[in-house]
Amino acid sequence: MINLPVKTWHLGDPHQSLVLASFDNRLPEAVYWGPALPTGESHKTLSAASLMDVTGGMVDENAAISLCPEASQTFPGQTGLTVRSRDGNPLAPAFRYESEAASEHGLTLVFADKALDLTLVLDLTLTPETSLLKLQTRLESADIVQVDWLAAPVLPVPAHTGEMIEFSGRWCAEFLTRRLPFAPGARLRDNRSGRTDHAHFPGLIVCTPGTSNTQGEAFAFHYGWSGGHRMVAEELADGRRQVQFGHAGGSQAAGRHFVTAPLYATYSAGGFNGAAIRFQRHVRDAIVQDMRTPRPVHYNCWEAVYFDHKLDELKAIATHAAGLGAERFVLDDGWFGLRDDDTSSLGDWIIDGRKYPDGLTPLIDHVKALGLEFGLWFEPEMINEDSNLYRAHPDWVLGPSDQTRGRQQLVLDMAREDVRTHLHDQIAAILRDNDIGYIKWDHNRVLPLVDAAQTEGVYQLIDRLRADFPQVEIESCASGGGRIDFGILERTQRVWLSDSNDALERQRIQHDAALFLPAAVTGSHVGPRRCHTSGRTLDIRIRAWTAAQRHMGFEMDPSELTEEETDVLREVTSWWKSNRDWMMRADILRLDSSDPAVIAEQQLAENGDRFAVFAALIRASDQILPHPVRLTGLDPASLYKVSLANRDQAPRLSRGSPFLKTEDLEVSGQYLMSHGLTLPWRFPDTIWVLEGQRL
Ligand code: DGJ
């Protein structure tokens, strides 16, 4: 065998192996990433086996797709680092091995360019419980340098994958997925919005053309950062492929220390679900801190009253909501300053004495007497020109004064300590003087510029408030799902997935968000009968069951509910409460529906003994007979008892006798996964809910 000076490292578990090799003390490269390798496999041999040929029309050596591909190696694609000296000259470091340290589940590898006095530190861990790689790059410089681009550790993806799924979206349509072929050149996303944003969820799934929810290979990535990211998915001219993630280009000021956010990555041999459940579990068990259980049923008053707060009306709403089963009441926008619409008062976090002459206490006391927790809305990073804060501190605004406004508001410069201290003190005073267990933390516009210091400032403010008020949970909202990522989830306990309470739209958004998010953190509310953002009128059943698939809540004016709607909502809420203990810890498995009009998912309990299936018909099917719904993740040899939880909802046009319409079924996991469940015919915009139990 060729005798190469090579160092190797291995991160592995029963699901995946990542083998790194450093040739000649250069930066390490992933010479293998895929299914778990057998013990005893020689990593040195694998390293040698990974060497590729050289032929005509090429330079004489293949530059590695190292964890930070280097310009100094004549790398034929996007490099992992673009750095300039203090006076603007491009630097092309050639890093060499310095040292390493092993932790329980990971490695820290240190490489240096002595001539340039630059050090590159690669922090790599594989969390055993969730099989998720967490990868982070640090750059230390003796001199001040300008970093235009620093990628988190770069991984290659194999040539046979061929496709990628990336995420776009908009207000009320978050987590849109798009499946694209890999093609020569780079697919570049550089999110300039300064926040995670509806249009740029920082995720990517590389897969084979045949990969589905339940089978095939997937290499999945998420960049845990709330300040805008850059992604590069590149097919080099020579055919190799690499994936890079980092902060949005040029968003870091000149300095001596730079660090990327963590890049989370995993290999799945079990389709998209294989990766999704690792992200879901990791968010729930390793990222989110201090999540209170059981998850309380929410009531949020935004779509009931908007800015028109009247104490008596809010008390009546709270009483009504409690009767439906709510356990947490969230007072939304409109309680502070002189905020009668969205043109004023952001920045003045003082209770509006016109609306609340005796403060919030009378409302809070009423809510608490009903047995509910009280939550309050803030949008701390924002300021209106019509506010006392702006009149006192016009210089606290981020960006130029002639910038375009967003929802008539400007953004505070969160990198300033005086701004953070002021916000901390105002919010802390409200939390101290009132019995508040929950904050809905909103963020309703893109930033005027991209600046990592803004995001770091927000993180600092939240961290300080969390340290002072550890019992207060926080929800991350940004006009719906504009700030959802693992960075914000390290400091919050719930996300407001979308401002669309339209159950059909929500079905799609929830389904795609489940590629990364567990039910326990994903807020989902039963909105008004006629949806305020889509104008669509939907039956209470689909609205209630859709919310019951995630962390459930209500958001309509409850006085609009008919007696029948009230009964249905109460019933579904009580179903949710009696199932939440296992469902909020279940894996959400997306089912491969052969009928594109059906969005179906299966929530499988941690021990695999029970499941719930939700199969929503979001438009009329092309064919008249319902396709059987095939399940997944069950033990083929076990028997399961399956019942149709809402069989009373079969319409009169369902004239036949499918078994589940009247009786429970006892069948094997094999049957459920191979043939699937034959369901009664139903109207569009309806949902079947099935419950299963291993016998
Ligand atoms: C946008 C949020 O997404 C809504 O739920 C609501 O809180 C409004 N902002 C309030 O202004």
Side-chain angles (χ1 to χ4, degrees):
M1 191 172 69
I2 315 163
N3 201 10
L4 287 162
V6 60
K7 289 187 174 58
T8 65
W9 299 272
H10 176 238
L11 290 175
D13 66 15
H15 305 289
Q16 61 185 323
S17 292
L18 175 69
V19 180
L20 301 171
S22 159
F23 296 99
D24 263 342
N25 287 324
R26 290 182 189 158
L27 285 175
E29 58 190 280
V31 291
Y32 177 87
W33 182 28
L37 293 167
T39 36
E41 178 95 61
S42 159
H43 299 146
K44 200 162 177 201
T45 306
L46 288 190
S47 308
S50 73
L51 293 178
M52 302 185 95
D53 209 349
V54 176
T55 180
M58 300 177 74
V59 290
D60 298 340
E61 203 181 324
N62 288 306
I65 300 181
S66 71
L67 298 191
C68 185
E70 292 171 293
S72 57
Q73 301 281 308
T74 321
F75 184 69
Q78 304 290 317
T79 56
L81 170 66
T82 313
V83 55
R84 287 179 283 129
S85 65
R86 188 200 289 259
D87 44 16
N89 291 323
L91 303 175
F95 291 105
R96 291 290 182 277
Y97 177 84
E98 271 293 304
S99 64
E100 67 188 90
S103 59
E104 198 187 349
H105 302 295
L107 295 166
T108 298
L109 305 177
V110 182
F111 289 74
D113 181 317
K114 295 249 165 67
L116 294 174
D117 237 335
L118 290 170
T119 306
L120 196 77
V121 183
L122 303 158
D123 281 312
L124 319 164
T125 55
L126 176 60
T127 310
E129 296 80 18
T130 51
S131 196
L132 212 55
L133 292 159
K134 181 181 179 193
L135 313 167
Q136 219 163 347
T137 303
R138 266 185 292 144
L139 179 74
E140 312 281 349
S141 171
D143 283 334
I144 292 206
V145 288
Q146 175 67 55
V147 167
D148 297 322
W149 170 239
L150 176 64
V154 176
L155 290 175
V157 285
H160 70 269
T161 47
E163 293 187 349
M164 64 178 111
I165 295 180
E166 56 151 44
F167 295 83
S168 57
R170 62 165 165 83
W171 178 67
C172 287
E174 292 83 350
F175 286 89
L176 285 173
T177 57
R178 196 190 299 252
R179 200 161 176 154
L180 303 171
F182 252 104
R187 174 86 187 147
L188 168 81
R189 298 194 63 133
D190 199 23
N191 168 8
R192 312 302 299 167
S193 73
R195 63 176 182 182
T196 328
D197 208 59
H198 306 76
H200 302 284
F201 175 75
L204 179 76
I205 302 173
V206 176
C207 57
T208 70
T211 303
S212 69
N213 289 317
T214 56
Q215 51 196 333
E217 286 191 293
F219 296 81
F221 303 83
H222 170 71
Y223 190 63
W225 174 241
S226 314
H229 74 286
R230 177 190 280 183
M231 177 202 87
V232 180
E234 183 176 34
E235 182 174 301
L236 305 178
D238 59 32
R240 292 177 295 162
R241 291 170 184 160
Q242 61 161 341
V243 172
Q244 301 188 356
F245 273 91
H247 286 11
S251 59
Q252 282 170 291
R256 292 190 169 86
H257 311 283
F258 302 85
V259 61
T260 68
L263 173 64
Y264 298 92
T266 195
Y267 164 79
S268 160
F272 304 132
N273 286 340
I277 63 175
R278 295 198 196 136
F279 287 121
Q280 291 171 18
R281 292 174 188 176
H282 197 80
V283 167
R284 193 190 56 215
D285 299 336
I287 300 262
V288 173
Q289 305 295 314
D290 307 320
M291 184 197 287
R292 275 189 269 139
T293 51
R295 307 300 286 144
V297 175
H298 272 224
Y299 177 80
N300 183 297
C301 69
W302 176 240
E303 296 201 348
V305 299
Y306 292 103
F307 297 101
D308 191 12
H309 291 205
K310 295 193 183 78
L311 182 59
D312 287 344
E313 198 182 322
L314 286 164
K315 282 184 179 174
I317 287 176
T319 306
H320 205 146
L324 294 166
E327 298 163 311
R328 180 183 269 163
F329 177 94
V330 181
L331 184 67
D332 211 282
D333 196 354
W335 58 268
F336 55 92
L338 298 170
R339 183 125 165 127
D340 295 334
D341 57 32
D342 60 11
T343 60
S344 89
S345 301
L346 291 173
D348 297 344
W349 302 108
I350 309 286
I351 299 164
D352 184 345
R354 300 166 312 158
K355 298 178 186 171
Y356 299 97
D358 300 314
L360 293 175
T361 310
L363 180 59
I364 295 179
D365 285 351
H366 179 81
V367 166
K368 304 281 304 188
L370 292 164
L372 277 69
E373 183 179 273
F374 187 83
L376 194 61
W377 182 94
F378 287 91
E379 195 180 3
E381 297 137 81
M382 299 296 159
I383 181 166
N384 284 119
E385 282 148 290
D386 183 4
S387 69
N388 292 334
L389 186 66
Y390 184 82
R391 284 182 277 273
H393 298 288
D395 54 319
W396 281 8
V397 165
L398 182 73
S401 56
D402 61 351
Q403 66 180 274
T404 308
R405 274 63 178 156
R407 205 194 191 195
Q408 293 89 232
Q409 64 202 48
L410 295 161
V411 185
L412 287 165
D413 183 350
M414 299 297 294
R416 291 179 65 135
E417 196 172 340
D418 48 2
V419 170
R420 291 197 303 271
T421 304
H422 171 82
L423 288 172
H424 170 270
D425 294 350
Q426 278 207 328
I427 297 170
I430 298 272
L431 296 179
R432 234 187 348 258
D433 299 345
N434 297 278
D435 190 353
I436 293 173
Y438 190 76
I439 290 178
K440 177 175 174 185
W441 188 298
D442 211 339
H443 185 283
N444 285 304
R445 56 158 292 175
V446 297
L447 303 189
L449 46 92
V450 199
D451 183 1
Q454 177 76 6
T455 310
E456 280 151 15
V458 178
Y459 285 173
Q460 279 180 40
L461 174 60
I462 302 180
D463 291 347
R464 188 170 168 205
L465 285 165
R466 293 249 324 115
D468 292 350
F469 301 95
Q471 78 288 0
V472 176
E473 280 202 357
I474 302 179
E475 168 173 357
S476 174
C477 171
S479 307
R483 186 154 62 186
I484 298 178
D485 59 79
F486 293 9
I488 204 72
L489 277 164
E490 280 179 12
R491 13 190 87 77
T492 54
Q493 289 77 20
R494 191 187 203 236
V495 295
W496 182 228
L497 186 60
S498 178
D499 272 352
S500 173
N501 285 322
D502 177 312
L504 299 184
E505 292 178 349
R506 201 69 178 211
Q507 278 290 332
R508 204 279 307 148
I509 303 169
Q510 287 182 175
H511 194 66
D512 289 330
L515 288 166
F516 296 90
L517 299 180
V521 306
T522 309
S524 192
H525 294 176
V526 183
R529 188 182 306 124
R530 180 158 195 266
C531 174
H532 289 189
T533 56
S534 70
R536 197 184 270 136
T537 298
L538 289 169
D539 186 81
I540 188 67
R541 290 165 189 81
I542 179 101
R543 285 187 284 141
W545 282 116
T546 299
Q549 287 175 245
R550 298 292 185 269
H551 182 192
M552 187 174 192
F554 324 134
E555 195 163 335
M556 84 299 277
D557 177 350
S559 67
E560 78 161 35
L561 295 169
T562 62
E563 216 171 290
E564 192 206 8
E565 287 172 331
T566 303
D567 289 346
V568 172
L569 191 49
R570 266 208 200 109
E571 220 173 278
V572 175
T573 306
S574 104
W575 181 92
W576 188 79
K577 283 182 178 173
S578 49
N579 285 281
R580 66 181 154 189
D581 283 350
W582 72 269
M583 257 183 51
M584 292 299 103
R585 294 203 56 79
D587 290 332
I588 304 171
L589 301 172
R590 296 161 26 116
L591 296 177
D592 289 325
S593 174
S594 54
D595 181 348
V598 173
I599 293 179
E601 68 180 37
Q602 174 187 334
Q603 310 215 353
L604 182 62
E606 258 179 324
N607 63 7
D609 280 353
R610 63 192 299 182
F611 59 80
V613 172
F614 301 88
L617 184 62
I618 57 161
R619 58 170 190 274
S621 297
D622 292 347
Q623 293 153 335
I624 203 151
L625 286 177
H627 294 198
V629 173
R630 300 199 313 155
L631 309 194
T632 189
L634 303 177
D635 172 19
S638 292
L639 265 190
Y640 294 84
K641 177 173 168 181
V642 183
S643 55
L644 189 54
N646 56 345
R647 57 168 59 110
D648 58 324
Q649 284 156 34
R652 280 176 51 197
L653 266 179
S654 157
R655 298 185 295 135
S657 316
F659 198 79
L660 280 165
K661 205 162 117 181
T662 47
E663 280 171 77
D664 295 349
L665 198 61
E666 288 184 14
V667 284
S668 67
Q670 187 64 269
Y671 177 85
L672 291 168
M673 293 191 290
S674 304
H675 182 278
L677 290 163
T678 303
L679 292 164
W681 187 92
R682 33 66 185 265
F683 291 126
D685 309 348
T686 58
I687 186 164
W688 285 131
V689 181
L690 296 132
E691 293 176 282
Q693 188 88 48
R694 193 186 344 220
L695 293 171

